[in-house]
Amino acid sequence: MAPPLPGPLAHLAPLLGHYGYWAVGVGVFVEDFGVPAPGETILIAAAIYAGAGQLNIVAVAVIAFVAAVAGDNVGYLIGRSGGRAFVHRWGRYVFLTPERFHKAELFFRRHGGGIVTVARFIEGLRQANGIIAGTSGMPWLRFLAFNTLGAALWVGLWATLAYVAGTHITTLYDEITRYQLYALIAFGVLAATLIARRVLKRRHQN
């Protein structure tokens, strides 16, 4: 029998009970190009079910990983082919407003390709990072490499934690998201330091 899902995950029980792996794949896939779907929470809920023997954790992780990479690549294609005008015209229908997109784009450009990996863990950037990479002209193979790494880390983290922690995962989730901002600031400081060192090194060489 499936365990009762805690707190904010409880509403996903009928979805997982009826559709199982399909819910995981579709939820993660569509979230990754801006559609307002609970991709991350579906992954966590499915891993809890796997810990209770209702689903296979390897299947959950593989499906979520493939869906995450594919979804972000759809976003990349949208950004690459439609560009900023497409996002400004249609993005509001999936809660990607021009203001939200502009802020995400500035952040993306400031931190370069590495942010594609980190973006997977940041609400807002997770849904927009493929589109932003496409509009900014990042080479597809470079995007694919960073995106694949980010998807593997993201799926690995939440699938493992939820599988092991079970219904206690919401406590861990709250703690992790609480410190997410601090981790992001630390990443920004590190990136700025590396850029400054590179600039100074070039000046000395010239």
Side-chain angles (χ1 to χ4, degrees), residues 21 46-48 50-51 55-62 159-160 163:
Y21 300 114
I48 293 174
L55 296 171
N56 183 285
I57 188 60
V58 175
V60 168
V62 170
T160 302
Y163 182 77

Side-chain angles (χ1 to χ4, degrees), residues 1 11 21-22 63 68 77 90 109 123 161 168 170 178:
M1 183 176 179
H11 70 286
Y21 300 114
W22 281 102
I63 290 169
L77 182 62
W90 301 105
R109 288 180 174 176
E123 186 67 27
L161 283 180
H168 299 292
T170 51
R178 181 182 302 172

Side-chain angles (χ1 to χ4, degrees), residues 6-76:
L9 302 179
H11 70 286
L12 296 173
L15 189 65
L16 275 173
H18 190 70
Y19 295 105
Y21 300 114
W22 281 102
V24 178
V26 173
V28 173
F29 175 72
V30 299
E31 183 194 43
D32 281 358
F33 54 89
V35 176
E40 186 170 82
T41 50
I42 286 177
L43 167 61
I44 292 171
I48 293 174
Y49 269 36
Q54 299 299 308
L55 296 171
N56 183 285
I57 188 60
V58 175
V60 168
V62 170
I63 290 169
F65 171 75
V66 172
V69 174
D72 272 344
N73 275 274
V74 170
Y76 179 90

Side-chain angles (χ1 to χ4, degrees), residues 150-161:
L153 294 173
W154 177 72
V155 170
L157 172 69
W158 288 121
T160 302
L161 283 180

